[in-house]
Amino acid sequence: MKKTFSFVVFVALFLCNAFVVSSKSEHLLPKPQSITLNTTGVAFNLNRDVAIESNTDNYLLNKFLEETGCTVVDGASAVIKVNIVSSINGAHNHNLAEFPDEAYTLDINGDVVEITAITHTGVTRAAQTLIQLAEGYETTPQLEALTITDYPAFKLRGYMHDIGRSYISVEELKKEIELLARFKVNVFHWHLTENQGWRFETKLYPKLNTDSYSRYDGLYYTHEEAKEIQQLCIDNGMILIPEIDMPGHSQGFRKALGYDMQTDQGVETMKALLTEAVGVFDKCPYIHIGGDEVTITYNSGGKNFLTIMIDHVHSLGKKVITWNQPASGFTLNKESGVDLTHMWATRGTAVDGLPNIDSRYNYVNHFDVFADVVGIYKSNIYYEQKGTDKVAGFITALWNDRKTATQEDIVKQNNLYANALASVERAWCGGGKQYIEKGGTTLPNSGDEYEEFADWERRFLFHKNNSLKNEPIPYVKQTNVRWCITDAFPNYGDANKEFGPETEGLKESYVFEGKTYNTGMATGAGVYLRHTWGGTIPTYFSNPQSNTTAYAWTYVYSPIEQTVGALVEFQNYGRSEQDAAPNKGDWDRKGSRIWVNDEELLPPVWTNTGKSINNEVDLGNENFTARKPEVVELKEGWNKVFMKLPYNPNGLRLPKWMFTFVLTDIDGKDAVEGLIYSPNKCMDVAAEMVAASILEAKRYRNSVISESAPGYYPTALAVELNEKIEEIEKTLESADYDEAARNQQLAEIEEVLNSFKALLTAEAMNQPQTNTWYSLCTPNRASRYTTSKGVSEAIIGEAAMSVSAAWKFVERTDGKYNIVDYTGKAYVSPNSSNNTALKVLEQEPNSGWELKPADQLGTVIIVNGTVQFNQTNSGLGFKIYNWGNGSNTADAGCQFVVAEITDSTFIPTTVGINNVDFDEDIFSIVDGSLIINGNYNASLYDITGCKVNSFKPQSGIYILSVRNKNYKVLLK
């Protein structure tokens, strides 16, 4: 059911005091599938004698009673009843071997708590809900009177630690397991071996525990410690998945033993090590054997290395997990023997016939603190709304290729708790409008996704200040932080170049070099303009370009003059990257700058500036999570925050374009209460949300309409939208509109914007004008210009615009177009087979070309039946190929900008061709020779300005100068 705006406002106000109020069902995380409050019922008091009526003993239920002051006494008036049943109406359950049904119901009223579950694990899930319901009470805790029916959408909900690289103490692991289990995380993936060391004790090959290390020398887990972790997972309803990585990621193995895994000796050693591991992890149903980022070279008896290991693990009674995408030379399918695949990065795609774990975009070592958690929460799990036989669930993965100073830094810099608990709610509840590849990381300014995330944030911050209060959690409230962000201006490689926001002040739009640059609205403490995985994860800019500069600003209202902290970041340094620290005095290597109240806020002194960066150099204070907040003085009233955001990848392997800014207490623990973030200086939060919706509607409108440009839509389509915007804008400063009225305005803007979008059909799109020269450019394929190289020659995409890259669209009687090159006599021919170059010919085609919308606004696909323009790369000589079957709207090479040529330098002025007049009294062409009529002072120059001595030059474009007047001449 759609939440009302007034509920969101209540949520925001409630959060201010969330850490002192008693926990109730509104704080449950993840949310139950169904909950009904018993308003006439009586709460169940804890801290007293309680009887348990159950035929199953549950560790977590007993622990809950003990920690809430209850003593189990037979015959006590307060009773907890546990019923095991065969089914629960409406509960979803999908097949996943070794993962039991988790459905349960919970009925609380007066002196009775009744738990109904299908399995022992379901009872554990009910106990975890009870633990949360009792959280946060300052006096005697209670359980609210209610009824819950609950079950997970996805069965597998995990987190992973790569302790092979970066050892984490047993005490820390135990604490994380117990805390995360409260939120129904049910898998701990323990990555035990790596290049940097073998961290699982082996009594068979002790050198692995003494001689394998290149980091954290000699730190490993004993058999006894491993068994303790295993039992703790079982007690908390978790499945432990130990990983012994093979045959890649094994430099530590080779260092210690002197031979490779992919040898006869190595195979026998690995079999023995797996047997030893299974003896310790005797209650773990799965063994993860890695199997990625390596080439399989070993074969024996018709089986390769991984097949041999899979068979061996099966012989030990365990199931096998491998990474997906797998090693080169190993085919991962349902016949491979693998029982469960673990997808990583974009290279891992779900395998038919097997259950698959999604970790493709849960590699949080690449994530920032604020924007990525939004992306995680909004995203569904690998395109599914709930678990299937094919999609098992997710694992949040913490990799630390790069060293950090402490294990606390690993938890803090990877934002473990926020990321894992955003993921677990999505996996437990299901849903998510789009997969992150479509939905991206941008938080909407309003609407269902905004409200749902704000509600998750409220609940997460409650737990941050209660059960998680001692954990290093850098996340603070961000759903109230609003920004204006400009379109990106071209800076031509000059990060210091100034544009309108610096020279003209803060406005809704700017004009630069004849083009309008609009301003839009964004919400959140962290905003990606380009994601780590650019081109894969959508961000605020749909098509971010290098050598550009954007600006962001807001105003912050403070009720008092005060000193606060500021979390500031312009480049989040990945924990698996070797990116160099910023230069002294710079925030990053792109040239980002920030001002507060027009005074520049300078960066700290970087601990790694000037150092040679590699994986063994500790991440210093590059990320805000590893330093104290910047100190900011707020004046009473409105405070201006202004940022300049140039972008150039500057040699980074995974370049990011982003910013982080939010005001906190001086320690950075919590957001500052009572602040209002408003680019419009609006005190009314409801009106601010309406203003944000209007600005985004304007930005979208301006991005798609044009009087005549092909690929855009006529301005007349926006009449109704414009009228509604104008009508609502007049009310923004009025105090006569309550929250319900503002909520209605949001709905009206959404409705009229959707109606406008419905008008943007292929038929309505602007088409080329007659007698107009156009350039054809591919902005997403190196911005190359489609260029004619002459009759019967392949068309080439050139890096620079020229006269030969000018084209006309001549309408045919069938309403389609002939595309004519700069000579006026040669036509683009559709007579090219698929995956071959398009050419220009003198014969008019039998069929015409069409322009249709591409996936990116302002770009088109150019098609003739099943023939389609595609800009190739260097391997094909940058030729324009026929590729795409006439319907490919997403490929970068198929997306063309058709722009009118306004620079006269590039407009063909042909002599005697295409009905262009010329003065025959001055010059004429006879048999290809240029004849000057009369006694005129004439000179001939080529297109670059070099003088041509012969009046019978080669064919091409020339400039004829006669009596100081220039004529553009084309000779054939």
Side-chain angles (χ1 to χ4, degrees):
M1 182 175 70
K2 182 176 173 61
K3 303 178 184 69
T4 64
F5 178 77
S6 58
F7 176 74
V8 177
V9 174
F10 165 76
V11 163
L13 295 174
F14 180 85
L15 182 58
C16 295
N17 296 310
F19 66 100
V20 297
V21 300
S22 300
S23 175
K24 295 186 184 297
S25 56
E26 62 191 15
H27 299 127
L28 289 175
L29 196 166
K31 288 189 293 188
Q33 298 289 351
S34 171
I35 182 167
T36 302
L37 298 180
N38 187 348
T39 56
T40 61
V42 178
F44 183 98
N45 288 320
L46 297 163
N47 195 26
R48 58 173 170 161
D49 292 347
V50 175
I52 297 180
E53 297 179 4
S54 174
N55 59 3
T56 178
D57 187 48
N58 187 276
Y59 167 85
L60 208 57
L61 181 58
N62 292 331
K63 184 179 180 183
F64 160 71
L65 292 172
E66 178 184 342
E67 291 183 348
T68 54
C70 295
T71 303
V72 177
V73 176
D74 290 342
S77 59
V79 181
I80 294 181
K81 299 179 179 179
V82 179
N83 308 307
I84 301 298
V85 297
S86 60
S87 65
I88 290 176
N89 282 343
H92 170 70
N93 183 47
H94 62 100
N95 296 321
L96 185 59
E98 310 298 336
F99 282 75
D101 194 309
E102 299 171 89
Y104 70 93
T105 66
L106 187 61
D107 190 75
I108 303 171
N109 191 11
D111 287 334
V112 178
V113 173
E114 188 165 5
I115 297 169
T116 302
I118 298 173
T119 67
H120 180 85
T121 301
V123 179
T124 296
R125 299 292 173 256
Q128 289 161 343
T129 298
L130 293 175
I131 289 170
Q132 288 194 36
L133 287 172
E135 184 180 345
Y137 282 83
E138 292 186 329
T139 56
T140 302
Q142 295 180 325
L143 301 176
E144 192 177 6
L146 49 71
T147 299
I148 288 174
T149 300
D150 206 9
Y151 50 87
F154 292 85
K155 272 195 165 177
L156 195 154
R157 307 172 303 279
Y159 87 108
M160 185 216 79
H161 261 308
D162 169 25
I163 52 76
R165 291 182 174 91
S166 294
Y167 177 84
I168 294 174
S169 69
V170 172
E171 292 73 21
E172 173 64 25
L173 291 178
K174 287 180 175 180
K175 179 180 64 174
E176 291 174 11
I177 289 167
E178 291 188 309
L179 287 174
L180 289 170
R182 286 173 174 254
F183 304 96
K184 302 180 176 64
V185 172
N186 72 335
V187 163
F188 173 43
H189 174 188
W190 203 4
H191 186 81
L192 285 162
T193 67
E194 253 302 335
N195 293 325
Q196 289 81 358
W198 192 276
R199 304 208 184 274
F200 175 63
E201 182 187 23
T202 169
K203 300 180 185 296
L204 300 176
Y205 301 93
K207 277 193 170 186
L208 285 173
N209 299 135
T210 58
D211 298 348
S212 67
Y213 303 106
S214 60
R215 183 190 295 181
Y216 301 119
D217 191 16
L219 294 178
Y220 61 91
Y221 303 94
T222 67
H223 287 186
E224 291 73 23
E225 289 170 332
K227 282 183 172 291
E228 288 176 12
I229 294 292
Q230 176 181 244
Q231 187 58 48
L232 186 66
C233 286
I234 293 170
D235 291 341
N236 283 273
M238 274 195 185
I239 289 176
L240 175 62
I241 298 177
E243 179 177 355
I244 309 296
D245 209 342
M246 63 186 82
H249 298 268
S250 56
Q251 291 177 18
F253 178 97
R254 290 194 296 274
K255 179 182 178 183
L257 301 183
Y259 52 88
D260 193 272
M261 288 182 183
Q262 294 199 76
T263 60
D264 290 340
Q265 188 176 10
V267 167
E268 293 309 309
T269 299
M270 288 308 301
K271 283 183 177 179
L273 286 166
L274 283 170
T275 301
E276 183 181 28
V278 167
V280 175
F281 295 114
D282 55 329
K283 297 178 182 178
C284 295
Y286 289 90
I287 301 294
H288 201 310
I289 63 170
D292 68 318
E293 294 190 304
V294 70
T295 298
I296 301 300
T297 58
Y298 182 87
N299 286 275
S300 177
K303 294 184 177 181
N304 64 41
F305 177 90
L306 280 177
T307 302
I308 292 168
M309 293 302 153
I310 290 167
D311 288 348
H312 184 67
V313 173
H314 284 161
S315 74
L316 298 171
K318 302 297 180 182
K319 292 181 170 58
V320 176
I321 304 175
T322 62
W323 289 107
N324 169 12
Q325 191 168 38
S328 176
F330 177 75
T331 301
L332 183 57
N333 54 37
K334 64 180 181 180
E335 288 80 31
S336 64
V338 173
D339 299 289
L340 186 56
T341 87
H342 194 168
M343 297 182 289
W344 66 281
T346 55
R347 288 174 284 183
T349 55
V351 177
D352 289 335
L354 289 174
N356 298 263
I357 306 168
D358 188 2
S359 284
R360 299 172 85 237
Y361 298 107
N362 287 73
Y363 271 35
V364 297
N365 46 301
H366 293 297
F367 280 7
D368 85 315
V369 168
F370 292 105
D372 279 301
V373 75
V374 172
I376 287 174
Y377 186 80
K378 291 198 308 174
S379 177
N380 54 40
I381 308 293
Y382 198 71
Y383 303 102
E384 295 292 347
Q385 297 292 298
K386 58 185 179 181
T388 67
D389 290 349
K390 187 173 181 178
V391 181
F394 82 96
I395 289 178
T396 292
L398 276 70
W399 302 101
N400 260 78
D401 299 76
R402 182 91 169 262
K403 225 171 137 278
T404 59
T406 68
Q407 66 182 15
E408 178 184 270
D409 283 330
I410 293 174
V411 175
K412 183 190 295 183
Q413 296 215 31
N414 289 291
N415 199 22
L416 166 62
Y417 286 99
N419 287 327
L421 298 190
S423 291
V424 78
E425 171 142 311
R426 179 55 64 212
W428 184 272
C429 299
K433 286 188 176 180
Q434 300 180 92
Y435 193 48
I436 193 170
E437 289 177 339
K438 295 290 186 182
T441 62
T442 302
L443 181 62
N445 297 312
S446 61
D448 290 348
E449 284 185 308
Y450 169 82
E451 292 175 8
E452 289 169 5
F453 182 81
D455 183 52
W456 172 86
E457 179 185 74
R458 172 187 63 84
R459 289 178 288 121
F460 173 73
L461 291 175
F462 171 84
H463 294 288
K464 174 186 174 180
N465 286 305
N466 285 279
S467 62
L468 302 174
K469 64 184 177 183
N470 296 320
E471 304 314 302
I473 297 175
Y475 186 89
V476 301
K477 182 180 181 181
Q478 64 165 329
T479 49
N480 62 326
V481 182
R482 309 273 183 186
W483 301 97
C484 273
I485 303 177
T486 67
D487 292 340
F489 300 86
N491 65 32
Y492 307 110
D494 181 3
N496 295 316
K497 188 174 179 63
E498 295 183 349
F499 299 95
E502 290 183 85
T503 59
E504 302 172 32
L506 307 183
K507 304 190 303 183
E508 284 190 4
S509 64
Y510 302 87
V511 176
F512 176 70
E513 294 182 341
K515 180 179 177 181
T516 299
Y517 293 81
N518 298 295
T519 299
M521 186 80 80
T523 298
V527 177
Y528 275 114
L529 306 182
R530 181 197 187 275
H531 196 269
T532 312
W533 294 298
T536 304
I537 303 294
T539 55
Y540 181 79
F541 289 145
S542 60
N543 183 35
Q545 297 293 309
S546 299
N547 297 321
T548 56
T549 298
Y551 294 85
W553 66 82
T554 193
Y555 290 91
V556 183
Y557 179 83
S558 174
I560 59 172
E561 182 179 319
Q562 56 182 318
T563 302
V564 298
L567 307 183
V568 183
E569 191 168 81
F570 295 100
Q571 170 73 29
N572 181 267
Y573 285 78
R575 278 66 68 194
S576 292
E577 296 303 297
Q578 300 183 24
D579 301 330
N583 293 322
K584 182 178 180 181
D586 293 338
W587 278 105
D588 60 12
R589 291 179 169 267
K590 298 187 287 286
S592 301
R593 299 171 70 184
I594 179 171
W595 294 262
V596 176
N597 290 328
D598 296 321
E599 290 189 14
E600 187 162 10
L601 186 62
L602 297 176
V605 176
W606 306 111
T607 56
N608 278 323
T609 291
K611 291 184 180 179
S612 175
I613 302 297
N614 60 57
N615 285 341
E616 303 311 312
V617 173
D618 285 346
L619 270 174
N621 62 353
E622 294 94 335
N623 292 332
F624 84 78
T625 48
R627 62 177 185 264
K628 285 285 189 181
E630 311 308 312
V631 176
V632 169
E633 301 293 337
L634 292 183
K635 62 185 180 182
E636 181 181 346
W638 290 106
N639 297 264
K640 177 184 175 184
V641 181
F642 180 73
M643 289 183 281
K644 183 175 185 176
L645 306 165
Y647 175 57
N648 189 305
N650 205 16
L652 300 176
R653 185 181 79 92
L654 297 176
K656 304 175 184 179
W657 191 14
M658 56 169 288
F659 67 86
T660 293
F661 181 91
V662 65
L663 297 171
T664 67
D665 57 38
I666 208 69
D667 296 320
K669 172 85 173 162
D670 295 300
V672 179
E673 296 180 20
L675 300 184
I676 297 174
Y677 295 78
S678 171
N680 303 297
K681 294 186 180 180
C682 183
M683 295 291 291
D684 184 345
V685 176
E688 174 67 24
M689 293 186 78
V690 174
S693 183
I694 286 174
L695 192 59
E696 281 302 298
K698 286 181 177 180
R699 180 171 179 256
Y700 180 82
R701 175 200 65 192
N702 295 342
S703 71
V704 299
I705 64 171
S706 169
E707 285 294 339
S708 60
Y712 294 87
Y713 298 88
T715 55
L717 297 180
V719 170
E720 184 181 358
L721 176 62
N722 294 340
E723 290 174 350
K724 179 58 68 175
I725 287 173
E726 184 179 358
E727 171 194 322
I728 295 178
E729 276 185 320
K730 292 177 181 178
T731 73
L732 290 178
E733 295 183 10
S734 173
D736 297 334
Y737 289 76
D738 60 12
E739 292 169 5
R742 294 300 185 195
N743 194 49
Q744 177 61 32
Q745 288 180 327
L746 285 172
E748 290 173 5
I749 294 167
E750 182 179 10
E751 182 180 1
V752 73
L753 183 60
N754 287 337
S755 296
F756 170 66
K757 290 179 178 179
L759 299 175
L760 308 182
T761 63
E763 293 74 21
M765 188 182 74
N766 290 333
Q767 294 296 316
Q769 304 294 303
T770 58
N771 296 321
T772 301
W773 289 103
Y774 292 97
S775 62
L776 312 181
C777 181
T778 51
N780 303 321
R781 184 60 61 80
S783 293
R784 302 192 79 87
Y785 292 90
T786 303
T787 304
S788 173
K789 306 305 286 185
V791 174
S792 298
E793 298 295 327
I795 306 170
I796 304 291
E798 300 279 12
M801 181 61 190
S802 67
V803 171
S804 302
W807 304 86
K808 272 189 179 180
F809 290 79
V810 179
E811 191 168 4
R812 299 163 52 96
T813 56
D814 59 6
K816 299 178 182 179
Y817 295 90
N818 290 330
I819 303 178
V820 183
D821 80 351
Y822 70 102
T823 67
K825 284 189 173 180
Y827 305 87
V828 178
S829 173
N831 298 325
S832 295
S833 58
N834 189 56
N835 215 27
T836 62
L838 293 171
K839 300 178 180 180
V840 293
L841 301 175
E842 290 185 335
Q843 295 80 26
E844 181 179 356
N846 292 326
S847 58
W849 296 90
E850 297 178 83
L851 301 188
K852 297 180 179 180
D855 281 359
Q856 183 181 320
L857 291 171
T859 65
V860 299
I861 59 173
I862 306 174
V863 300
N864 188 317
T866 59
V867 179
Q868 181 168 353
F869 274 45
N870 181 275
Q871 173 65 70
T872 63
N873 285 309
S874 58
L876 296 174
F878 298 112
K879 294 176 181 177
I880 306 297
Y881 263 44
N882 165 31
W883 190 81
N885 297 321
S887 60
N888 189 333
T889 61
D891 187 273
C894 294
Q895 296 171 341
F896 286 80
V897 169
V898 180
E900 182 180 352
I901 300 173
T902 57
D903 187 338
S904 61
T905 306
F906 305 123
I907 298 177
T909 306
T910 57
V911 179
I913 299 177
N914 201 30
N915 299 319
V916 175
D917 294 331
F918 62 93
D919 191 343
E920 294 187 7
D921 291 336
I922 300 177
F923 57 84
S924 59
I925 301 172
V926 178
D927 295 331
S929 294
L930 188 64
I931 307 298
I932 304 298
N933 300 325
N935 186 19
Y936 293 104
N937 181 19
S939 301
L940 191 65
Y941 302 86
D942 67 19
I943 199 69
T944 67
C946 295
K947 192 170 182 178
V948 179
N949 293 323
S950 169
F951 273 82
K952 192 172 183 179
Q954 300 292 321
S955 62
I957 299 290
Y958 295 89
I959 303 297
L960 176 64
S961 177
V962 182
R963 289 184 173 178
N964 297 321
K965 186 175 180 180
N966 293 335
Y967 297 84
K968 192 173 290 184
V969 179
L970 183 141
L971 299 182
K972 289 191 54 147

